[in-house]
Amino acid sequence: MTSPASGDDLPDYAPIPRSALGPALNDQGYYVGRVERNLYWVTDGVYQSAFLTTPDGVVLFDAPPSIGGNLRRAVDEIAAANGVTNTVTHLVYSHHHADHSGAAFLFDGNVVRIGHEDTRRLMLRDNDTARPAPEVTFADRYTLEVGGERVELAWHGPNHTPDNIYIHFPDHDTLMLIDVVNAGWVPIYNLNLSEDVIGYMGAPATALSYSWTHFICGHLGRLATRDDVLVHQQYIADIEASSREALDSVDPVPFYQHYWPNVWAGVKAHLDTVTERAAAPVIAKYTGVLAAADIEAFTTTTTFLIMQSLRLDRGHLGPVHP
């Protein structure tokens, strides 16, 4: 792998909309803030975690390694300010991915680890000592009650991953759903590196079916709002509509005729043309609206996945050979 000789060799992108940015980080590189009452969130500007303070201990939700030891500092800061215990007694995993749980090993001892049954299966498969598998698991729903506080955990089918769950704080007007909506930003490559296209596309509607005002999305520097989820939905809907139009209007025959018998070259030319045609108007529409919309690879790879899902999952292939 090579690196650019200097910053002058790197591309420039559109300015980040101010609405996409969150609060300033402290000298230690993190921000911790109150969501509601005794529910707090932590960010390093790229990743997010949350914790709930109770008389019986602290419940932590995800442990991203990029925040790492600052999670402990954030808990200590809030506990000292409010005169409550700083002992982490429970750790809830949103899903199995290491970028959201790779600092879980920092909280050892008697911590009760909770997650979906597939989170346990996948963490045991991965055999990563930084991510001890949850001992307490559930299939569809689980109510966590600690120190008089209640958190509702639910699995509504695969989306970003097979095990990604909805974490609802009904008494704190908050929902936590990781790696689906990015507050004020486009998804990165391939629908935020998601495994189930249809599940990912449907997840925001499920999120909106809950009652909440605050949304912890797992990435970047601020909490999301219901409007953020609606803008995300429209971005994805625009990609889907544009992909349908491109599939219907791009004639594949010339590509295959030109490259025959190199069939895969014909496939590449055809699908690349469809993808570029579908992505271009979406990139233009959302540049300046959603941060990083002008990083073409993000919208283009997301468009490719949605376009392929239209073809393979929903049968938008064109005519059947007679």
Side-chain angles (χ1 to χ4, degrees):
M1 180 180 293
T2 59
S3 299
S6 71
D8 294 337
D9 299 318
L10 296 173
D12 291 325
Y13 295 108
I16 300 301
R18 182 66 189 87
S19 60
L21 300 176
L25 307 180
N26 63 18
D27 291 342
Q28 292 173 303
Y30 71 91
Y31 170 85
V32 57
R34 189 191 305 271
V35 182
E36 275 210 10
R37 296 195 300 108
N38 54 330
L39 176 64
Y40 297 86
W41 70 294
V42 188
T43 184
D44 61 355
V46 182
Y47 281 84
Q48 298 175 0
S49 176
F51 62 90
L52 190 64
T53 62
T54 82
D56 295 342
V58 176
V59 184
L60 182 65
F61 300 88
D62 278 353
S66 72
I67 303 178
N70 279 335
L71 289 173
R72 176 78 271 170
R73 296 181 186 95
V75 169
D76 290 348
E77 175 186 335
I78 295 301
N82 296 331
V84 297
T85 179
N86 67 346
T87 301
V88 175
T89 57
H90 295 74
L91 171 56
V92 176
Y93 293 120
S94 65
H95 64 302
H96 72 284
H97 278 170
D99 62 327
H100 291 276
S101 56
F105 71 96
L106 296 175
F107 303 90
D108 52 12
N110 296 319
V111 173
V112 177
R113 301 171 194 276
I114 303 166
H116 188 261
E117 60 187 16
D118 273 344
T119 301
R120 176 174 173 81
R121 175 182 64 83
L122 292 165
M123 284 185 167
L124 290 174
R125 177 203 67 180
D126 296 344
N127 193 28
D128 179 1
T129 57
R131 294 176 284 154
E135 306 91 359
V136 177
T137 64
F138 64 97
D140 296 318
R141 295 183 182 275
Y142 182 84
T143 299
L144 174 62
E145 295 181 298
V146 180
E149 300 293 347
R150 175 171 58 104
V151 184
E152 301 288 348
L153 311 180
W155 180 79
H156 295 291
N159 48 75
H160 169 63
T161 59
D163 59 322
N164 200 31
I165 62 172
Y166 298 71
I167 303 170
H168 188 217
F169 305 86
D171 301 322
H172 297 81
D173 201 17
T174 299
L175 182 71
M176 184 172 183
L177 174 65
I178 304 303
D179 281 341
V180 176
V181 176
N182 297 336
W185 297 68
V186 297
I188 64 164
Y189 302 98
N190 301 319
L191 290 167
N192 277 341
L193 307 178
S194 294
E195 298 178 40
D196 190 299
V197 175
I198 292 177
Y200 174 95
M201 292 174 68
T206 301
L208 288 170
S209 72
Y210 282 84
S211 175
W212 56 268
T213 299
H214 317 290
F215 188 95
I216 302 169
C217 57
H219 278 288
L220 303 160
R222 69 168 174 85
L223 298 176
T225 66
R226 298 185 80 89
D227 284 345
D228 287 318
V229 177
L230 292 172
V231 172
H232 169 89
Q233 281 186 304
Q234 188 59 57
Y235 169 81
I236 295 298
D238 286 345
I239 291 175
E240 180 179 9
S242 191
S243 295
R244 288 182 182 276
E245 186 279 331
L247 282 169
D248 290 340
S249 61
V250 174
D251 181 5
V253 173
F255 303 110
Y256 294 96
Q257 288 178 331
H258 177 81
Y259 284 109
W260 187 265
N262 190 340
V263 177
W264 278 171
V267 169
K268 179 184 186 303
H270 172 216
L271 296 183
D272 283 356
T273 300
V274 171
T275 302
E276 290 164 8
R277 176 164 180 160
V282 179
I283 292 170
K285 177 178 177 179
Y286 286 92
T287 296
V289 177
L290 289 174
D294 62 315
I295 301 179
E296 293 186 3
F298 290 168
T299 297
T300 299
T301 57
T302 285
T303 300
F304 179 83
L305 273 191
I306 290 175
M307 178 265 292
Q308 288 295 76
S309 179
L310 285 170
R311 294 178 65 249
L312 304 179
D313 298 327
R314 286 170 280 185
H316 200 98
L317 287 166
V320 176
H321 193 283

